[in-house]
Amino acid sequence: MKKLINKTENLVKESLAGVAAAHADLVKVHYDPNFVVRIDAPVRGKVAIISGGGSGHEPMHGGFVGRGMLDAACPGDVFTSPTPDQMEAATKAVDGGAGVLHIVKNYTGDILNFEMAAELCQAAGIEVAAVVIDDDVAVKDSLYTAGRRGVGTTVLAEKICGAAAERGDNLAKVVDVCRKVNANGRTMGMALTSCTVPAAGRPTFEISDTEMEIGIGIHGEPGRERMALKPAKEIVEMMANVILSDLPFKSGDQVIVMVNGMGATPLMELYLVYNELNKICQAKGITIVRQLVGNYITSLDMAGCSITLLKVDEELLTLWDAPVHTPALRWGV
Amino acid sequence: MKKLINKTENLVKESLAGVAAAHADLVKVHYDPNFVVRIDAPVRGKVAIISGGGSGHEPMHGGFVGRGMLDAACPGDVFTSPTPDQMEAATKAVDGGAGVLHIVKNYTGDILNFEMAAELCQAAGIEVAAVVIDDDVAVKDSLYTAGRRGVGTTVLAEKICGAAAERGDNLAKVVDVCRKVNANGRTMGMALTSCTVPAAGRPTFEISDTEMEIGIGIHGEPGRERMALKPAKEIVEMMANVILSDLPFKSGDQVIVMVNGMGATPLMELYLVYNELNKICQAKGITIVRQLVGNYITSLDMAGCSITLLKVDEELLTLWDAPVHTPALRWGV
């Protein structure tokens, strides 16, 4: 295993210390339990938004803490759900009196732990709501998950809900916006190589030099199909076909697209993937109105990509365009 | 070789097509010869800035085209210098009557081809100046290069000179600023793994599972030393010692730091590296006033990182903070 780390057991904390040092103008990091909060939290009268999950998917979630996006992020160990005390402490730290939304990716551990934290906070008089993101069209049930996994749409939901909270929407409205994003977002991923979890020290799965895995999860969970590596054009067509037919997306739709690298994919390949996807959307009369191309929800050092399409209306697009200032996403400021 | 590509020979063009489609609001891509220009080029009365080099280092340089940074970028084939006709066409396309600065990384092919293009443009009546970036402290001479290689400081120079041009500095002044950045910037890189050039189809160099290469170049050129993999703390100390003693940086200095991923390095590792570097700087009385942590000048799918320190004064810091709006770097707008 080749990684730029010291002791495996200190990786998450030492990485968080780097985030704290690099972005002291944007975020503050708390330890034991670990969570990242925006520097001006709690913001009085604003709905607070928290997400979290296993580490190893950076910049998600800690890189999305800041004005116009998350109020806090709770990083677990690598690929391990954060514990309820993290979400409880984060919720109490960011509650500004207008309630707290937990954006939870659909993994069984995440859901249980977020639920437990919510109960503890509600008992302390904080209004808490949760929305589960389950946008992965690749598989129905999976390792770690009943139902569809929560993947790329989470990034878009955090941005859009963050903007809704920032403009003063109440908790019920922010919840509605989050559900709307989840209802209109679809994602599928693929891997060329496995990731290597530091504590394991070896690749999560074996894959030959001539194969790829279509429909992979962000922890290296099995996908739909292991098959021979194909040209990017065919790979993108396979993924887009599943995504587009699922909602379904149709001619006249406006979409935000995210072409996301799994961690070890060169940016020039991601742009090539975007080019193929753009041609498919054009041919189907679907207009890409905004896009992200880069590493946003990663899987450590996995090579591969995921494609997310979010159908948007005027409301979601306006919220997308609102200013955001976080370590990993910034515009309008 | 596992890559998200179609035909190797079309990779650069298809990737550029993705950039063009994704960032039509910021840049325009020309083909045959290939170059990327900001959408509003030529900007009348403004010094234009061009950089370029082999592809495979994305987001550098195409991702840095836009307001407040580059006017054009000329991408060669992967790890291959662009040809003079690319720089000639780009120079003519962006010249707004105030002259054009070529920011050239110190690689022999790049320098020769930029020089030839400059002569052709000067013959056509365009004022052209060039500044060569040679900030790599790892080795004196190298494969492809006489003298020090041009690496991470190039990114910072493009941002800072872009701001100088944007505020209306004349060509002589922008050249001065660029030379000042180069004189005050130092970089060193390291690799855990080799990259794989698509046209070669196999890793550029062999390295065992227990070794790393200190002082690597961005094309996988040999570095200072092949040695057993060490904890990140020791790796960063080794690199920082060479960088800090070279300028030398000293107590009281203010620096902009870039902790740059080579392409396949998880962000959480880069933040861990930043944490180690920050501790070293603090102990030496050097203040990190701004920082970039992420993938900015990559080497395809290489795992590893580089560290750049740029000593800044009020002028350089003001230029750094000026608004920038490019595909890969954006703030203040």
Side-chain angles (χ1 to χ4, degrees):
Chain A
M1 177 181 67
K2 287 182 144 183
K3 293 186 184 290
L4 290 167
I5 61 177
N6 295 308
K7 288 184 177 165
T8 298
E9 58 269 32
N10 298 335
L11 165 57
V12 171
K13 274 195 185 173
E14 291 179 346
S15 181
L16 286 175
V19 170
H23 305 293
D25 56 328
L26 296 177
V27 303
K28 191 174 172 207
V29 177
H30 294 262
Y31 303 96
D32 302 314
N34 299 340
F35 60 101
V36 182
V37 297
R38 60 187 267 184
I39 195 73
D40 57 348
V43 182
R44 282 286 132 213
K46 188 186 83 69
V47 170
I49 303 179
I50 297 180
S51 194
S55 291
H57 307 300
E58 290 71 20
M60 187 186 79
H61 300 275
F64 301 139
V65 174
R67 182 152 81 91
M69 213 160 166
L70 296 179
D71 293 81
C74 303
D77 279 339
V78 172
F79 291 0
T80 303
S81 295
T83 51
D85 61 319
Q86 292 178 257
M87 284 81 99
E88 183 192 358
T91 301
K92 289 176 176 173
V94 301
D95 173 43
V100 181
L101 169 63
H102 291 171
I103 299 181
V104 187
K105 298 193 302 301
N106 190 31
Y107 296 95
T108 305
D110 288 17
I111 289 181
L112 288 173
N113 291 349
F114 264 106
E115 277 176 359
M116 200 174 301
E119 283 169 22
L120 292 166
C121 293
Q122 281 156 344
I126 300 173
E127 194 182 5
V128 180
V131 175
V132 174
I133 304 293
D134 58 349
D135 61 316
D136 189 339
V137 298
V139 291
K140 188 144 186 264
D141 297 302
S142 172
L143 205 60
Y144 316 130
T145 319
R148 288 179 165 184
R149 299 174 297 218
V151 284
T153 300
T154 314
V155 176
L156 310 186
E158 291 175 4
K159 167 65 187 84
I160 288 171
C161 295
E166 206 75 45
R167 74 175 176 188
D169 286 1
N170 66 23
L171 183 57
K173 175 64 183 166
V174 179
V175 165
D176 279 351
V177 168
C178 198
R179 288 190 181 133
K180 184 170 160 183
V181 172
N182 188 51
N184 287 286
R186 297 292 186 276
T187 299
M188 190 159 166
M190 62 79 57
L192 295 171
T193 68
S194 174
C195 50
T196 296
V197 176
R202 52 186 166 68
T204 302
F205 58 90
E206 294 297 327
I207 186 164
S208 83
D209 282 351
T210 58
E211 285 180 317
M212 63 178 173
E213 176 96 17
I214 294 286
I216 196 91
I218 56 171
H219 311 96
E221 308 99 307
R224 285 198 163 199
E225 198 177 349
R226 181 75 61 98
M227 63 175 75
L229 183 59
K230 295 187 190 315
K233 180 179 161 59
E234 292 177 42
I235 296 170
V236 176
E237 276 169 359
M238 274 192 289
M239 296 165 78
N241 283 343
V242 181
I243 292 168
L244 291 173
S245 61
D246 192 87
L247 191 63
F249 294 86
K250 54 188 193 308
S251 180
D253 283 351
Q254 295 202 312
V255 296
I256 296 174
V257 156
M258 181 169 72
V259 171
N260 169 65
M262 290 299 198
T265 311
L267 190 56
M268 68 187 308
E269 296 180 30
L270 297 180
Y271 275 110
L272 188 146
V273 165
Y274 181 83
N275 185 46
E276 296 298 343
L277 181 64
N278 184 54
K279 286 190 281 187
I280 292 168
C281 287
Q282 280 186 332
K284 294 197 180 281
I286 297 164
T287 305
I288 302 176
V289 291
R290 302 290 184 276
Q291 63 289 309
L292 294 176
V293 181
N295 294 339
Y296 295 96
I297 166 173
T298 60
S299 184
L300 293 169
D301 53 352
M302 185 187 281
C305 72
S306 66
I307 291 172
T308 299
L309 259 74
L310 171 65
K311 180 180 168 180
V312 294
D313 56 12
E314 196 58 37
E315 179 189 37
L316 295 187
L317 193 56
T318 300
L319 291 167
W320 180 259
D321 286 340
V324 60
H325 192 176
T326 70
L329 217 59
R330 179 176 183 181
W331 57 72
V333 59
Chain B
M1 177 180 68
K2 287 182 145 184
K3 294 189 183 288
L4 291 167
I5 60 176
N6 295 309
K7 288 184 179 166
T8 298
E9 59 269 32
N10 298 335
L11 166 57
V12 170
K13 274 197 183 170
E14 290 178 347
S15 181
L16 286 174
V19 170
H23 305 293
D25 55 328
L26 297 177
V27 302
K28 189 171 175 214
V29 178
H30 294 263
Y31 303 95
D32 302 314
N34 299 341
F35 59 100
V36 183
V37 297
R38 60 186 270 186
I39 194 73
D40 57 349
V43 183
R44 281 287 132 212
K46 188 185 84 69
V47 169
I49 303 179
I50 297 180
S51 194
S55 292
H57 307 301
E58 290 71 22
M60 188 186 78
H61 299 274
F64 301 139
V65 174
R67 182 152 81 89
M69 213 158 166
L70 296 179
D71 293 82
C74 302
D77 279 340
V78 173
F79 292 1
T80 303
S81 295
T83 50
D85 61 319
Q86 293 179 255
M87 285 81 101
E88 182 192 0
T91 301
K92 290 178 175 172
V94 301
D95 173 43
V100 181
L101 169 64
H102 290 171
I103 299 181
V104 187
K105 299 194 300 302
N106 190 29
Y107 296 95
T108 305
D110 288 17
I111 288 181
L112 289 175
N113 291 348
F114 264 107
E115 276 177 0
M116 199 175 301
E119 282 169 25
L120 292 166
C121 292
Q122 282 156 344
I126 301 173
E127 194 183 4
V128 180
V131 174
V132 174
I133 305 293
D134 58 350
D135 61 316
D136 190 339
V137 298
V139 290
K140 188 147 185 268
D141 295 302
S142 172
L143 206 58
Y144 315 131
T145 319
R148 288 180 164 184
R149 299 174 296 219
V151 283
T153 299
T154 314
V155 177
L156 311 185
E158 291 175 4
K159 166 66 187 82
I160 288 171
C161 295
E166 206 74 45
R167 74 177 176 188
D169 287 0
N170 65 23
L171 183 58
K173 174 65 184 167
V174 178
V175 165
D176 279 350
V177 167
C178 198
R179 288 190 181 133
K180 183 170 161 184
V181 171
N182 188 50
N184 287 285
R186 296 292 186 276
T187 298
M188 189 158 167
M190 61 81 57
L192 295 171
T193 68
S194 174
C195 50
T196 296
V197 176
R202 52 187 165 66
T204 302
F205 58 90
E206 294 297 325
I207 185 165
S208 83
D209 281 352
T210 58
E211 284 180 317
M212 62 179 174
E213 175 97 17
I214 295 284
I216 196 90
I218 56 172
H219 310 98
E221 307 99 308
R224 285 197 163 202
E225 198 178 348
R226 181 74 62 99
M227 63 174 74
L229 184 59
K230 295 189 188 315
K233 180 180 161 60
E234 292 177 41
I235 297 170
V236 177
E237 277 169 359
M238 274 191 288
M239 295 165 78
N241 282 343
V242 181
I243 292 169
L244 292 173
S245 62
D246 192 85
L247 190 62
F249 296 85
K250 53 187 195 305
S251 181
D253 282 351
Q254 295 202 313
V255 295
I256 296 175
V257 157
M258 181 169 73
V259 171
N260 170 65
M262 290 298 196
T265 311
L267 190 56
M268 68 186 308
E269 295 179 30
L270 297 180
Y271 275 110
L272 188 145
V273 166
Y274 181 83
N275 185 46
E276 296 299 342
L277 180 65
N278 184 53
K279 284 190 282 186
I280 293 167
C281 287
Q282 280 186 332
K284 296 200 181 281
I286 296 164
T287 305
I288 301 176
V289 290
R290 300 291 185 275
Q291 64 290 306
L292 294 176
V293 181
N295 294 338
Y296 294 97
I297 166 173
T298 60
S299 183
L300 293 168
D301 53 351
M302 186 187 280
C305 71
S306 66
I307 291 172
T308 299
L309 260 74
L310 171 65
K311 180 180 168 179
V312 293
D313 56 11
E314 195 59 37
E315 180 189 38
L316 295 187
L317 193 56
T318 300
L319 290 168
W320 179 259
D321 285 340
V324 60
H325 192 175
T326 69
L329 216 60
R330 179 177 182 179
W331 56 71
V333 60

